[in-house]
Amino acid sequence: MEISYKDSKLRKLCENSREASRKLGADSAGKLRRRLAELDAADNVNELIAGNPHPLDGDKSGQFSLALAGGKRLVFTPDHDPIPLKDDTGINWLAVTAVTIIYIGDYHD
């Protein structure tokens, strides 16, 4: 799957292990590396199985979450124009083959 980043700070966090460990802690940094490898290896979002993968709703509708450690999450959106939709107008995650990482942290804080 193609992976892009909302901004350079997120890219640095994802691509620099030392930065990730410093900001997220060793456990979450390790999980982040694994989740990124899983995203990279998957053909589409539906192939993700680790990290309690699930779409978000409410004010986070259109976003998808993967668990890291200690309540932290990796959150992404489809990087398609137009976004692939199902008949009920929900996102067709099976057809999402490119994502943009928009947030890493605990959105419950």
Side-chain angles (χ1 to χ4, degrees):
M1 192 169 343
E2 293 179 43
I3 303 170
S4 60
Y5 303 89
K6 179 180 93 170
D7 56 36
S8 60
K9 287 181 187 179
L10 279 173
R11 177 181 292 279
K12 181 178 180 183
L13 186 64
C14 290
E15 293 179 349
N16 185 313
S17 296
R18 186 184 318 245
E19 179 79 5
S21 290
R22 187 175 67 77
K23 291 207 172 179
L24 303 172
D27 290 343
S28 283
K31 293 271 176 120
L32 174 62
R33 283 190 297 279
R34 284 192 291 280
R35 298 294 174 260
L36 290 168
E38 292 158 1
L39 277 168
D40 186 52
D43 289 326
N44 63 64
V45 172
N46 265 19
E47 290 184 3
L48 300 172
I49 55 173
N52 186 28
H54 62 282
L56 301 174
D57 54 21
D59 65 338
K60 293 178 178 29
S61 181
Q63 300 175 8
F64 203 93
S65 175
L66 297 173
L68 300 178
K72 292 178 179 67
R73 308 281 190 277
L74 180 153
V75 180
F76 59 83
T77 58
D79 189 11
H80 292 268
D81 187 20
I83 293 173
L85 300 176
K86 298 185 284 186
D87 291 339
D88 68 1
T89 69
I91 294 174
N92 181 359
W93 293 105
L94 179 66
V96 173
T97 59
V99 298
T100 299
I101 296 173
I102 61 166
Y103 181 79
I104 296 172
D106 186 347
Y107 53 72
H108 295 110
D109 282 346

